[in-house]
Amino acid sequence: MPDLVSLTVDDRVVQVPSNTGLVEAALAAGVEIPVFCYEPRLGAPIGACRMCLVEIEGIPKLQAGCTLTAIEGMVVRTAATSAKAADGQESTLEFILVNHPLDCPVCDKGGECPLQDLTFRYGPGRTRMTFPKVTFDKPIPVSPLIALDRERCILCYRCTRFSEEVAEDGLLIARNRGARSEIATFEDEPYRSVFSGNVIELCPVGALTSSMYRFDARPWEIQNVPTVCTGCATGCNVTATIREGKVKRILSRNHAEIDRGWLCDKGRFTYPHLLARDRITAPLQRGPKGLKEVSWDEALDAAEEMLREAEGAIVTALSGSETTEIAYALGRLLRGGVGVHSAVLPEATSDALEAFRLPLSAIAEAELIVVVGDDPVVERAPIVDLWLKEARRRGAEVVACSPTGTVQVAPGGSAALCQGISAAGNELGQRLRNADRAVLVWSGPGGGGGARIAELAHELGF
Amino acid sequence: MDANNPILLMAGTQEHDLTRLDEYRAVGGYKALERARALEPQAVMDEISAATLRGRGGAGFPMGRKASLLAKGTGKPTYLVINADESEPGAFKDRDVLRMTPHRLIEGCLITAHGIGSESVFIYIRGEYAHEFDVMRDALEDARTAGLLGGVTIVLHRGAGAYICGEETALLESLEGQRGQPRPRPPFPPVNGLYGAPTQINNVSTIALVPKIIELGAAEFSKIGVPSAPGTAVFSLSGNVAEPGNYERPLGTPLRELIYDVAGGIAGGRELKAVIPGGSSVPVLTPAEIDTQMDYDSIQAAGSFFGSAAIIVVDDRCCMVQLALRAEQFYMHESCGKCTPCRVGTRWLVQLLTKIEEGRGDRSDLDLLEGVCDRMLGKSLCALGDFAVYPVASYLEKYRGEFEAHVDGHGCPFGGASSIEGTFAPIDQHAPNLAETVHA
């Protein structure tokens, strides 16, 4: 158990674990410290936007709350109880709005915009700025998927920090300085990244927008439906934005153990296939003249009839990318409803794995990670690659055993490799046995990978 | 040593070419290093602490106390970083140390490195100081060849022309190859500095005084200057004085003496209008305030800062609005853009001051000018945000009549004249068309 410290935020006493960030500590006391640039998933706080200015007893100047951690006995006053802090917050918002174009009526972010919300709650009611604002050419297509509006940008550096410190591609940069500071791509090359779309969601204003969603919907005419991405076996939690019955965009939905709120571009941007013209949207029944469209009732009746006639002599195959709930429902139907006893999964999992299975977030805590399998993780399950990167940033060693990895393994050689690792005297195997927090990751096409990893884990005494 | 006018930093530079190792040695150079290395590291630091050597870079924080904050037992190396990114308009004291007595700085680095247990020293030199860099490089090479470094690596790093890199955490970012922008503090550099390791950062003139402290002893050193700030400083006198230049004097020398006795008074026999005592970023003093002593505490009591000991003297021809505008154009140009108040506020102040200077303003613009200054002050990530406010806010406070004359008379009573052009870089560098679109 970490030590608890006690602090006072706006006259409310609260106890939090030591080293808790002040923004979180205030939240625990039921007090909001508003922020723009602060985003704990992006590494160390930078204190750039100055939205979180608070008064700390004993410190003459206002402090950026996001850069501080809770200390025993600390007395914090936010805008709610400190005129000085309120002035600080209003100052920040006044400065931010000095150059912001205020084109909210035509901005995709309008209605779901942190800048709008915080201005509504804390901002000045009128502007004192009567001079030309900073104007930039716009929009800049930083990639075919993302448009950049530099006039709306408030320079919180969330996007560049994501690129630098999470995706580690270094493609998004800030350049020039002062009032002419701007977000750009490195050497003006297109922002080609597996994870580029995350910056759209990170942007607290409408500076980075999705080219596919741009001007397509207003927030008050959409529904957000929670669902799970079926792009790969990771199962990232997502929200589908629906307008008039059609999916208009996919957003992340933070699951701390799976995706931490990140999505890959495949998961985020491939939804238009749902609207493909040649997509089958009604049941088809094969007859003497080929396929014929039938009603759902007819189709279900026909299916039931055929399943009952088969009397259990059925093999069912799942694709492996169903959610747990769908797979469970299918299993129940087939086992209980129609008496099926066997099932084939192309992405072979193994019951033996259950003894060792950990949430993906455990990767970040590991000290030694061995990735086995022919495919690069970033292609097989992109989000897992972000977990590996985070682990590496925290000091873990990641050993990739694949045709392109740090340990070169010929294609198809993973089975032999696993045997080698578990053999006595193998150096990597020994280190895996000795490590306190070791993780094995399988990244390859189906066909027993899971069982192999389970076997290896068993051999290593995990 | 002349007891009335002790010279420490620049000692011997008039009579000798101290860029040469043999001549520096002839005046006793590197003897202090020898003596320091014979001492326990803590004894060296105790001597520096006893001398109350206060940082000559601007803040005046005692060097010994700074070193005592260095984190111990981190498993990481301890670094010594020398801030030679002298960029404050009006300041040119470090430049003379670098180009005239480079070995004194190197000796100071080596003594300090011994004292704090560092094997790596980085000297971050302002990019425009090309000649000074050459001098330092040659001197360092000579010291290395002579075997004086004793296992310490000294790295000379040239800046790329950003004022902000004189801010210590921006300097560290720049040294690491990152964008030169300040870091939030805490964590402070003595705990988490260069490459996340404990780091001692000092100004050129601070470190170059270290050999003299070892040579004279703290007791003798403390007899010079004032008790709260012993020693000397090189004062850079510029603007409308008869004999501008660098003058080393004890701390506590009155401003009046520096202007009138040392630098020959106001050029052309004109009237003194204003004094900016610590480089362009500090609050202005009026002629009535020049009996203040030039040391950290006295000047702060008078409402300004010691800063970089760069005294800019302004005569009666100068328009204070024009001067404020000129200063603000510099700070707008040099604002790094990381935090909101400084990035946005400097540009807004330039727009307001332009309007007032051109006679298009009214009295409400003066209130707004004051309001924008208030909103910037104390809210930025680093000190530059405040530096950018002090000139404007203090000129407005102390010379409000001149500002009012601009708006009431719909024009500049001085015809836009600035008697100290040259203190800043040429105007075309700092005055872009603010209404123009920034093209992609």
Side-chain angles (χ1 to χ4, degrees), chain B residues 61-343:
Chain B
F61 197 79
M63 178 182 164
R65 202 188 307 162
K66 206 185 242 187
S68 73
L69 300 173
L70 284 166
K72 312 269 183 319
T74 59
K76 291 177 177 167
T78 299
Y79 294 118
L80 173 63
V81 175
I82 311 302
N83 187 345
D85 191 51
E86 183 175 59
S87 313
E88 177 81 0
F92 42 91
K93 63 182 172 57
D94 296 339
R95 184 172 171 223
D96 271 3
V97 174
L98 293 166
R99 73 193 173 108
M100 293 167 82
T101 174
H103 286 289
R104 191 161 280 143
L105 175 62
I106 294 170
E107 189 178 7
C109 289
L110 294 171
I111 295 171
T112 309
H114 173 65
I116 63 172
S118 172
E119 289 173 358
S120 305
V121 181
F122 297 84
I123 302 177
Y124 189 99
I125 300 186
R126 177 181 178 177
E128 289 88 338
Y129 282 2
H131 170 66
E132 290 73 13
F133 172 78
D134 288 344
V135 172
M136 280 302 300
R137 187 189 50 199
D138 293 347
L140 182 58
E141 193 50 45
D142 290 348
R144 184 182 291 126
T145 310
L148 291 163
L149 300 190
V152 173
T153 303
I154 298 182
V155 176
L156 297 179
H157 183 101
R158 290 188 68 184
Y163 172 80
I164 190 61
C165 289
E167 196 282 338
E168 61 179 16
T169 58
L171 187 154
L172 295 178
E173 286 285 299
S174 176
L175 252 185
E176 289 182 13
Q178 312 287 337
R179 215 167 134 73
Q181 294 190 322
R183 299 172 178 172
R185 284 171 293 190
F188 291 91
V191 176
N192 186 342
L194 188 63
Y195 302 112
T199 304
Q200 170 89 8
I201 309 177
N202 283 112
N203 176 257
V204 168
S205 298
T206 315
I207 294 295
L209 276 169
V210 166
K212 282 289 172 188
I213 291 173
I214 302 298
E215 180 190 322
L216 299 171
E220 205 56 34
F221 181 85
S222 301
K223 288 180 186 164
I224 305 164
V226 292
S228 68
T232 59
V234 173
F235 293 95
S236 309
L237 277 131
S238 69
N240 308 127
V241 283
E243 292 164 44
N246 275 332
Y247 300 95
E248 184 171 359
R249 288 292 181 279
L251 287 170
T253 305
L255 207 43
R256 179 182 297 280
E257 188 182 323
L258 287 165
I259 296 169
Y260 286 96
D261 301 340
V262 176
I266 312 304
R270 302 202 64 100
E271 286 293 308
L272 175 67
K273 181 174 192 172
V275 182
I276 305 158
S280 66
S281 64
V282 307
V284 70
L285 297 178
T286 63
E289 296 168 304
I290 62 167
D291 288 312
T292 309
Q293 292 183 3
M294 273 302 281
D295 62 74
Y296 305 96
D297 301 346
S298 305
I299 202 80
Q300 203 163 337
S304 189
F305 298 105
F306 185 83
S308 45
I311 300 165
I312 304 169
V313 179
V314 180
D315 74 16
D316 55 355
R317 291 170 298 166
C318 183
C319 166
M320 294 307 282
V321 179
Q322 176 70 32
L323 192 60
L325 172 60
R326 194 63 199 80
E328 206 52 37
Q329 282 168 329
F330 173 80
Y331 289 105
M332 179 184 77
H333 182 73
E334 294 295 349
S335 169
C336 79
K338 182 167 178 174
C339 80
T340 311
C342 178
R343 178 183 69 240

Side-chain angles (χ1 to χ4, degrees), chain A residues 47-51 53 61 88 91-96 98-99 134 154-155 157 177-181, chain B residues 163-165 167 170 180-182 281 327-351 372-392 434:
Chain A
C49 76
R50 317 306 284 173
M51 190 59 216
L53 289 175
K61 278 172 91 170
S91 300
T92 297
L93 276 169
E94 178 172 37
F95 284 131
I96 286 177
V98 156
N99 286 315
V134 186
I154 62 167
L155 290 160
Y157 306 97
R177 68 185 185 208
R180 295 192 162 210
S181 303
Chain B
Y163 172 80
I164 190 61
C165 289
E167 196 282 338
Q181 294 190 322
S281 64
E328 206 52 37
Q329 282 168 329
F330 173 80
Y331 289 105
M332 179 184 77
H333 182 73
E334 294 295 349
S335 169
C336 79
K338 182 167 178 174
C339 80
T340 311
C342 178
R343 178 183 69 240
V344 178
T346 50
R347 183 177 181 274
W348 197 0
L349 288 180
V350 165
Q351 287 171 317
V372 175
C373 286
D374 280 350
R375 292 227 136 156
M376 288 173 71
L377 204 60
K379 302 185 183 75
S380 297
L381 176 63
C382 81
L384 191 140
D386 291 346
F387 292 173
V389 171
Y390 291 140
V392 179
L434 296 185

Side-chain angles (χ1 to χ4, degrees), chain A residues 118-337:
Chain A
L118 294 188
T119 302
F120 182 74
R121 271 183 279 163
Y122 304 105
R126 51 191 293 264
T127 182
R128 301 189 288 172
M129 169 74 175
T130 54
F131 300 107
K133 298 180 179 224
V134 186
T135 53
F136 290 94
D137 281 348
K138 66 177 199 176
I140 311 287
V142 292
S143 81
L145 297 169
I146 301 171
L148 166 64
D149 184 322
R150 289 180 174 143
E151 294 177 357
R152 291 178 189 156
C153 174
I154 62 167
L155 290 160
C156 68
Y157 306 97
R158 282 182 172 211
C159 54
T160 55
R161 284 184 287 153
F162 174 80
S163 169
E164 177 82 24
E165 300 190 25
V166 179
E168 297 181 9
D169 53 45
L171 288 171
L172 277 186
I173 56 156
R175 70 179 174 201
N176 299 339
R177 68 185 185 208
R180 295 192 162 210
S181 303
E182 61 185 26
I183 301 301
T185 54
F186 185 70
E187 299 279 294
D188 287 320
E189 288 291 314
Y191 182 28
R192 282 199 196 93
S193 162
V194 182
F195 305 102
S196 72
N198 291 295
V199 301
I200 299 169
E201 275 189 75
L202 282 168
C203 184
V205 294
L208 290 164
T209 49
S210 161
S211 303
M212 285 158 71
Y213 184 65
R214 218 168 137 79
F215 305 131
D216 234 17
R218 304 302 290 166
W220 45 88
E221 52 182 31
I222 56 174
Q223 287 116 13
N224 286 323
V225 181
T227 177
V228 172
C229 179
T230 56
C232 74
T234 308
C236 293
N237 289 198
V238 297
T239 299
T241 292
I242 316 286
R243 179 177 182 264
E244 292 180 346
K246 293 192 175 88
V247 174
K248 287 293 180 182
R249 70 175 171 187
I250 299 292
L251 298 174
S252 68
R253 188 162 57 87
N254 195 335
H255 190 302
E257 291 187 344
I258 298 173
D259 50 55
R260 232 187 156 196
W262 306 130
L263 278 186
C264 70
D265 283 1
K266 209 160 43 168
R268 185 185 301 275
F269 292 118
T270 52
Y271 62 87
H273 76 272
L274 298 170
L275 300 172
R277 283 196 186 173
D278 55 355
R279 188 175 169 211
I280 298 165
T281 54
L284 300 173
Q285 189 172 31
R286 197 177 297 283
K289 289 179 184 169
L291 293 168
K292 188 182 76 161
E293 203 170 290
V294 294
S295 73
W296 278 106
D297 280 345
E298 286 175 273
L300 287 170
D301 286 348
E304 183 186 356
E305 199 178 316
M306 287 168 74
L307 286 168
R308 288 196 191 287
E309 275 173 14
E311 291 179 344
I314 299 168
V315 171
T316 55
L318 303 184
S319 76
S321 49
E322 294 80 7
T323 62
T324 309
E325 291 75 12
I326 291 175
Y328 174 74
L330 269 170
R332 239 188 106 161
L333 171 72
L334 294 166
R335 290 196 185 101

Side-chain angles (χ1 to χ4, degrees), chain A residues 370 407 416-434 456 460:
Chain A
V370 176
V407 173
L417 177 90
C418 286
Q419 284 172 359
I421 291 174
S422 58
N426 179 282
E427 195 224 326
L428 188 55
Q430 201 50 50
R431 291 177 55 210
L432 281 165
R433 284 189 181 91
N434 292 343
L456 178 56
L460 293 171

